[in-house]
Amino acid sequence: MELCAHFDVAEKEGILEQVLSSTEHDQDEFGDPADEEGNLCAGLEDVFISPSGRKSHPFYSDNRRYRFTYDSWKTSILSVMLDGRKAEMHEQIATVLEREIVEETESKDDLELQIHVFKHWNLSGNFTKAAELALMIGGQLMILGLNSQAILLYDDVLNALEQISPFDSAKKLGGIRSSIIDTFDTNHLELLIKVYISMGKACCNMGLGEGARDAYQSALDILDYAPCASDKEFDRSISFPIFSGLFVVLKMGIIDKEESCSFEKDICKRFVEQARLNNDPVHYGRALAMQGETLARLGHFEEALETLEVIKTIYDIDTQHVAICKAYGSDRVGQAFAHSVNWNRHLGGLTQPLKLACT
């Protein structure tokens, strides 16, 4: 039986009623998005689809719309509908709305419409589409100073993952079960890490130190656990903002003083390891310089000087100076040689570091 025939039967039985549209140009005749009532799925937001969009979509016939005569019909149908079918419907609506945005130039900058599309992709279970949209929309919201709204958006993406396999006994990382992370490829992992990093930045912007700490730490825990993080194609530079964010949290005084010293050293070691595996002397040198400064600040001057010896084997001022300045604002690696003068002075030596600083 064709789809339209199913609609006709439902209409005869009094389950659905048809709303005929006689014009293709008067948007008001189709109603405001908030007045649409033709959605079957619980949680589906009200959707406006243009006349051209309706005609081009196979689920519309002769530009007709249907709605339930009573809400109880919708509730009854939803109670027996499989979750997979609901997800399919969310995906269909998201696809149509996304096409509408592409076709209508004025809709491309419509944040409200983009958020509607995001909600449907998120409820459809398409993590890639939902995360990409959340990062794009969240970034725009943060520029506008709407950090709390951005946090809610990122929370929606993460909550969708947390709700998968609720009875799974596997351990959780940032609220997400390890069995889910086991299935991730490098693209999924990078998107998930970016979502946590963006949430951490939004929390820092609002002074929510504990929220920022949880977001950055969750990203780091997942990165340490995820099997695909060891793949060659995985971009390890994505982890660098995590370490930077954790240092910001440390300065906010969220971590107890008794734990801060060991925490700071541990973060530096992880930063160095990730940068080393990324095989980029620019970031690796910066990580070593940060580790040296941290060790010296904690009074471990000999260990700090050991990091300087490693820096000497990879640092080339002629080829790396500009790149380091571009990535970190100044040549923090070159500055480590100047800092070594003070490190050696604390240890009673001065001649050798002065030679290094002057070369």
Side-chain angles (χ1 to χ4, degrees), residues 37-58:
E37 299 176 11
N39 299 314
L40 292 174
C41 247
L44 289 180
E45 298 295 334
D46 298 320
V47 178
F48 173 79
I49 301 176
S50 69
S52 60
R54 292 194 181 98
K55 282 192 171 182
S56 64
H57 196 276

Side-chain angles (χ1 to χ4, degrees), residues 18-38 46-55 60-67 100 104:
Q18 184 183 157
V19 179
L20 295 177
S21 300
S22 59
T23 178
E24 296 183 7
H25 303 289
D26 187 1
Q27 176 170 328
D28 292 336
E29 187 153 339
F30 293 96
D32 184 79
D35 295 331
E36 290 286 329
E37 299 176 11
D46 298 320
V47 178
F48 173 79
I49 301 176
S50 69
S52 60
R54 292 194 181 98
K55 282 192 171 182
Y60 285 92
S61 174
D62 300 326
N63 204 23
R64 292 184 291 175
R65 290 186 299 162
Y66 295 88
R67 63 186 177 191
E100 291 284 301
E104 299 179 13

Side-chain angles (χ1 to χ4, degrees), residues 38-111:
N39 299 314
L40 292 174
C41 247
L44 289 180
E45 298 295 334
D46 298 320
V47 178
F48 173 79
I49 301 176
S50 69
S52 60
R54 292 194 181 98
K55 282 192 171 182
S56 64
H57 196 276
F59 277 21
Y60 285 92
S61 174
D62 300 326
N63 204 23
R64 292 184 291 175
R65 290 186 299 162
Y66 295 88
R67 63 186 177 191
F68 287 100
T69 53
Y70 298 100
D71 190 64
S72 58
W73 285 118
K74 181 173 68 174
T75 303
S76 299
I77 292 174
L78 286 172
S79 65
V80 297
M81 185 179 291
L82 295 176
D83 290 340
R85 177 56 181 152
K86 295 179 184 179
E88 289 175 6
M89 297 180 70
H90 281 293
E91 182 176 356
Q92 291 160 4
I93 292 177
T95 301
V96 173
L97 288 176
E98 207 166 56
R99 185 169 62 241
E100 291 284 301
I101 293 177
V102 173
E103 293 175 353
E104 299 179 13
T105 307
E106 63 274 11
S107 298
K108 292 182 179 179
D109 297 324
D110 189 337
L111 279 178

Side-chain angles (χ1 to χ4, degrees), residues 11-240:
E11 189 177 2
K12 290 179 181 179
E13 294 293 332
I15 299 174
L16 296 177
E17 60 183 3
Q18 184 183 157
V19 179
L20 295 177
S21 300
S22 59
T23 178
E24 296 183 7
H25 303 289
D26 187 1
Q27 176 170 328
D28 292 336
E29 187 153 339
F30 293 96
D32 184 79
D35 295 331
E36 290 286 329
E37 299 176 11
N39 299 314
L40 292 174
C41 247
L44 289 180
E45 298 295 334
D46 298 320
V47 178
F48 173 79
I49 301 176
S50 69
S52 60
R54 292 194 181 98
K55 282 192 171 182
S56 64
H57 196 276
F59 277 21
Y60 285 92
S61 174
D62 300 326
N63 204 23
R64 292 184 291 175
R65 290 186 299 162
Y66 295 88
R67 63 186 177 191
F68 287 100
T69 53
Y70 298 100
D71 190 64
S72 58
W73 285 118
K74 181 173 68 174
T75 303
S76 299
I77 292 174
L78 286 172
S79 65
V80 297
M81 185 179 291
L82 295 176
D83 290 340
R85 177 56 181 152
K86 295 179 184 179
E88 289 175 6
M89 297 180 70
H90 281 293
E91 182 176 356
Q92 291 160 4
I93 292 177
T95 301
V96 173
L97 288 176
E98 207 166 56
R99 185 169 62 241
E100 291 284 301
I101 293 177
V102 173
E103 293 175 353
E104 299 179 13
T105 307
E106 63 274 11
S107 298
K108 292 182 179 179
D109 297 324
D110 189 337
L111 279 178
E112 185 176 357
L113 182 56
Q114 290 176 357
I115 290 174
H116 275 300
V117 178
F118 158 75
K119 288 181 177 179
H120 290 295
W121 278 125
N122 199 40
L123 290 170
S124 74
N126 191 323
F127 171 74
T128 300
K129 297 287 289 188
E132 288 175 347
L133 267 176
L135 290 169
M136 181 189 70
I137 299 170
Q140 297 179 55
L141 291 172
M142 290 168 67
I143 291 174
L144 295 172
L146 303 174
N147 293 286
S148 59
Q149 286 83 348
I151 292 173
L152 292 175
L153 207 64
Y154 301 138
D155 264 332
D156 285 344
V157 176
L158 299 174
N159 288 337
L161 289 177
E162 292 174 8
Q163 292 171 4
I164 300 176
S165 303
F167 301 108
D168 191 344
S169 59
K171 68 176 181 180
K172 291 184 178 180
L173 300 164
I176 302 172
R177 299 185 183 279
S178 59
S179 57
I180 302 300
I181 300 173
D182 288 337
T183 65
F184 276 17
D185 58 19
T186 55
N187 181 52
H188 285 86
L189 180 60
E190 288 178 9
L191 285 172
L192 179 60
I193 296 300
K194 287 180 179 178
V195 170
Y196 273 115
I197 291 172
S198 296
M199 176 177 282
K201 290 179 179 178
C203 288
C204 283
N205 291 341
M206 296 185 66
L208 303 176
E210 292 185 358
R213 176 199 60 197
D214 293 342
Y216 287 126
Q217 189 62 53
S218 295
L220 195 59
D221 292 341
I222 291 172
L223 190 62
D224 290 340
Y225 172 82
C228 66
S230 58
D231 294 351
K232 291 183 179 180
E233 59 269 23
F234 179 69
D235 182 10
R236 295 190 175 277
S237 64
I238 196 175
S239 66
F240 301 157

